[in-house]
Amino acid sequence: MQGYNGLKYLSTIVAVVIRTIYEQKMGTTLKIMAGASSMIAAVANTYWDLVIDWGLLQWHSKNFCLRDKILVPHKSVYFIAMILDVLLRFAWLQSILGFREFFFFHRTAVTAIFACLEILRRGIWNFFRLENEHLNNVGNYRAFKSVPLPFNYNEDDDKDE
């Protein structure tokens, strides 16, 4: 599993390097390579988000396309989060594919907007990642109500002083 995670990160690094080279030199071949590598990285990262990190898209779950245990009472929240994750994950592709003419803002403003959208996406990702980790820990009996302190503390000793 760690190898697949490494490949996911490698695909992202390759996409960033190719996009950087494209921004410096421009050219049709580099644009195609940047678009293809970015698309591969986005698909791999989106799959990892939804299936591995969030534990969703389990086809045989009692909650269709989710997982057996969910903490949010409304299932629609999960579907909205999945759609938002996909849309926001692919939103930055506009910078590579050249959709700049559709924006009325300066290029720097568009970059700032997409950076804010990425912050929003990561906030949503954190919520569902934490929920899945909690359910996995409780389900595998790895969660504890309290963690013992690494030292002995006896209240009776304090009363003597």
Side-chain angles (χ1 to χ4, degrees):
M1 192 56 106
Q2 298 301 324
Y4 291 129
N5 194 20
L7 287 174
K8 176 190 74 150
Y9 281 109
L10 179 65
S11 71
T12 303
I13 291 168
V14 168
V16 169
V17 167
I18 293 174
R19 282 196 321 259
T20 303
I21 293 170
Y22 167 69
E23 287 290 327
Q24 299 296 317
K25 298 189 178 192
M26 298 291 192
T28 306
T29 304
L30 284 173
K31 184 176 185 176
I32 292 170
M33 288 175 58
S37 64
S38 297
M39 189 67 78
I40 289 168
V43 168
N45 287 318
T46 302
Y47 173 83
W48 196 272
D49 283 356
L50 300 178
V51 176
I52 307 300
D53 287 341
W54 293 3
L56 301 176
L57 295 180
Q58 295 181 8
W59 302 109
H60 301 294
S61 169
K62 66 180 181 182
N63 299 308
F64 178 70
C65 287
L66 300 177
R67 61 176 110 80
D68 287 335
K69 292 183 180 180
I70 56 175
L71 297 180
V72 178
H74 302 288
K75 294 177 187 175
S76 61
V77 171
Y78 292 95
F79 292 108
I80 291 169
M82 286 191 284
I83 291 168
L84 277 175
D85 188 69
V86 171
L87 290 176
L88 295 175
R89 173 77 71 181
F90 284 88
W92 57 267
L93 277 176
Q94 62 78 28
S95 64
I96 296 150
L97 301 177
F99 296 141
R100 291 182 185 101
E101 58 272 2
F102 293 110
F103 296 108
F104 303 108
F105 303 110
H106 188 272
R107 183 177 178 186
T108 306
V110 171
T111 302
I113 290 168
F114 282 105
C116 291
L117 290 174
E118 178 63 11
I119 291 169
L120 175 67
R121 188 196 68 76
R122 289 179 185 222
I124 294 169
W125 177 89
N126 277 315
F127 176 82
F128 290 101
R129 175 69 173 108
L130 184 63
E131 178 194 49
N132 186 45
E133 190 66 26
H134 170 72
L135 290 173
N136 286 335
N137 285 339
V138 169
N140 294 325
Y141 303 105
R142 293 185 301 217
F144 298 97
K145 285 186 176 181
S146 64
V147 177
L149 296 173
F151 52 84
N152 290 328
Y153 180 77
N154 196 350
E155 291 182 10
D156 293 337
D157 292 341
D158 289 342
K159 291 179 183 177
D160 292 339
E161 294 177 5

